[in-house]
Amino acid sequence: MMVLTKPAIEHFPIVKNSCKATSFFNDVPVIDLSKPDSRNLIVKACEEFGFFKVINHDVPMEFISKLESEAIKFFSSPLSEKLKAGPADPFGYANKQVGQNGDIGWVEYILLSTNSEFSYHKFASISGVNPETIRSAVNDYVSAVKKMSCEILEMLAEGLKIHPKNVFSKLLMDEKSDSVFRLNQYPPCPEIEEFSGKNMIGFGEHTDPQIISVLRSNNTSGLQILLKNDHWISVPPDPTSFFINVGDSLQVMTNGRFKSLKHRVLTNSVKSRLSMIYFGGPPLTEKIAPLPSLMEGKDSLYKEFTWCEYKKSAYKTRLADNRLIHFEKIAAS
Ligand code: OGA
Ligand code: NI
């Protein structure tokens, strides 16, 4: 029997519900991808929330279901088997530990690189799990979601009147694009009773560092976003749609016109939540800087840095830290 240094349940972060935090956010901007005039709505959603939901996309449901069933197969394996796919250093399986700097949450996950050479060898000796089937399910899903992400980024560029329209999407299309993919599973947490007024933190508050994140979850709620009025609000789940959020890099490229969105996940006491997230990032050597056409005569709010430098700095931080602060220019007095 393997001995695990698992944090005791009383060490997990919880939040007390205020009535605000438990209400559902019914005004999530909805973008219909089949309508070309959605481009202006995307810009508006990115400015107002840094968040929106996408419907009428062309990601085949078949790819989503296939990956979901592979994920369920993997996560329902015994812990001792799943641990063979760990640690997440950064890629692989991890349980309760989020990142390398002491954050914990009621979650287990697999983090994968989306580049074609990425090897699934960590999954090779897990009984009942075929690494080749996982690889092909992830590849089909990621290719379709990446294509949709690029369409969204091109509509965004058109909405912002930037030429050429592939300024953002080309970074995801680049064969060296440093994009990652994550499968998160939040087991139900029965220790926290449904009406106790408390919720366990599944994934602590944070912003995503890349350009754009694309999330799909099963029908279990848990995702919350922080509105500009500083209230946390729950996002109703929708397994047939995607939720998009602005990442730190897009905030910088728009010189702060779009803000990366703070979000977190609270666990459910009865149902497990399964989410799959594609994080579209630039190549490591790419300079992340405001696009000249968005500067409107203003100075950049940020020091110059490459995605590699940003990532290195981000790896040293805790989940909730403001990672961009180290790259902000101090306003001249
Ligand atoms: C993330 C994240 C939300 C979820 O992995 O960065 O925000 O629902 N996940 O798992
Ligand atoms: Ni996130």
Side-chain angles (χ1 to χ4, degrees):
M1 177 76 195
M2 196 181 292
V3 180
L4 295 168
T5 49
K6 239 170 68 182
I9 191 155
E10 59 271 21
H11 294 151
F12 279 88
I14 53 168
V15 291
K16 289 210 172 81
N17 288 329
S18 71
C19 45
K20 285 281 187 322
T22 46
S23 49
F24 271 109
F25 182 43
N26 295 314
D27 302 322
V28 178
V30 177
I31 304 295
D32 184 339
L33 277 193
S34 65
K35 295 200 179 132
D37 61 343
S38 293
R39 52 176 86 91
N40 297 326
L41 295 175
I42 298 181
V43 173
K44 193 159 163 266
C46 287
E47 284 174 338
E48 280 180 20
F49 297 104
F51 185 75
F52 55 92
K53 167 169 149 170
V54 161
I55 59 165
N56 285 331
H57 55 78
D58 53 12
V59 176
M61 198 56 209
E62 176 202 334
F63 290 175
I64 299 174
S65 313
K66 179 85 181 78
L67 184 53
E68 183 162 23
S69 73
E70 284 305 309
I72 292 170
K73 229 190 272 170
F74 175 84
F75 286 121
S76 52
S77 308
L79 181 60
S80 55
E81 289 296 308
K82 291 184 281 192
L83 286 169
K84 292 179 184 166
D89 56 356
F91 302 121
Y93 171 79
N95 193 309
K96 311 285 193 295
Q97 247 113 31
V98 179
Q100 323 280 334
N101 302 313
D103 286 293
I104 56 173
W106 199 253
V107 62
E108 54 181 331
Y109 63 88
I110 306 173
L111 189 63
L112 301 167
S113 160
T114 66
N115 79 32
S116 52
E117 300 102 67
F118 180 71
S119 149
Y120 282 74
H121 69 272
K122 279 188 173 173
F123 296 87
S125 59
I126 301 175
S127 65
V129 168
N130 179 345
E132 188 44 43
T133 320
I134 298 190
R135 192 192 61 76
S136 104
V138 171
N139 282 356
D140 286 347
Y141 177 86
V142 166
S143 318
V145 165
K146 175 174 161 183
K147 183 169 155 276
M148 176 187 73
S149 309
C150 288
E151 279 164 28
I152 292 171
L153 289 172
E154 288 176 12
M155 288 168 86
L156 186 58
E158 285 177 325
L160 288 167
K161 306 197 170 45
I162 307 175
H163 305 283
K165 68 174 182 181
N166 70 348
V167 271
F168 304 117
S169 64
K170 70 173 187 217
L171 303 173
L172 272 56
M173 290 307 290
D174 194 301
E175 59 173 20
K176 295 210 172 74
S177 154
D178 183 39
S179 298
V180 289
F181 177 67
R182 181 171 199 132
L183 286 163
N184 289 335
Q185 143 110 336
Y186 302 88
C189 187
E191 286 85 348
I192 295 271
E193 287 153 40
E194 199 166 354
F195 302 108
S196 64
K198 290 181 191 147
N199 274 107
M200 188 81 91
I201 292 279
F203 207 117
E205 63 175 84
H206 65 283
T207 60
D208 295 337
Q210 291 83 0
I211 297 172
I212 188 173
S213 316
V214 182
L215 176 146
R216 186 269 173 190
S217 79
N218 66 359
N219 205 15
T220 303
S221 62
L223 180 67
Q224 295 195 324
I225 60 172
L226 187 63
L227 297 184
K228 284 184 179 156
N229 63 10
D230 250 7
H231 284 134
W232 284 103
I233 194 131
S234 297
V235 177
D238 179 351
T240 62
S241 306
F242 289 96
F243 293 93
I244 312 290
N245 59 283
V246 167
D248 297 341
S249 301
L250 189 54
Q251 173 171 333
V252 174
M253 294 180 84
T254 58
N255 207 22
R257 178 159 163 189
F258 300 166
K259 294 273 189 321
S260 57
L261 170 88
K262 259 205 171 165
H263 54 285
R264 67 181 183 191
V265 177
L266 304 184
T267 51
N268 192 290
S269 57
V270 263
K271 291 194 295 176
S272 63
R273 172 177 169 89
L274 181 72
S275 56
M276 30 184 95
I277 310 118
Y278 165 75
F279 302 91
L284 285 172
T285 53
E286 185 72 24
K287 281 209 174 76
I288 309 297
L291 297 172
S293 56
L294 295 179
M295 303 281 284
E296 295 164 341
K298 296 198 204 100
D299 286 339
S300 168
L301 298 174
Y302 308 93
K303 300 172 193 161
E304 249 195 37
F305 60 90
T306 62
W307 170 240
C308 184
E309 288 165 333
Y310 191 64
K311 256 184 54 161
K312 263 200 206 138
S313 154
Y315 272 138
K316 295 187 202 133
T317 60
R318 295 288 297 259
L319 203 50
D321 290 347
N322 180 343
R323 287 174 295 270
L324 263 184
I325 212 157
H326 309 288
F327 297 91
E328 279 167 9
K329 280 189 190 161
I330 319 286
S333 51

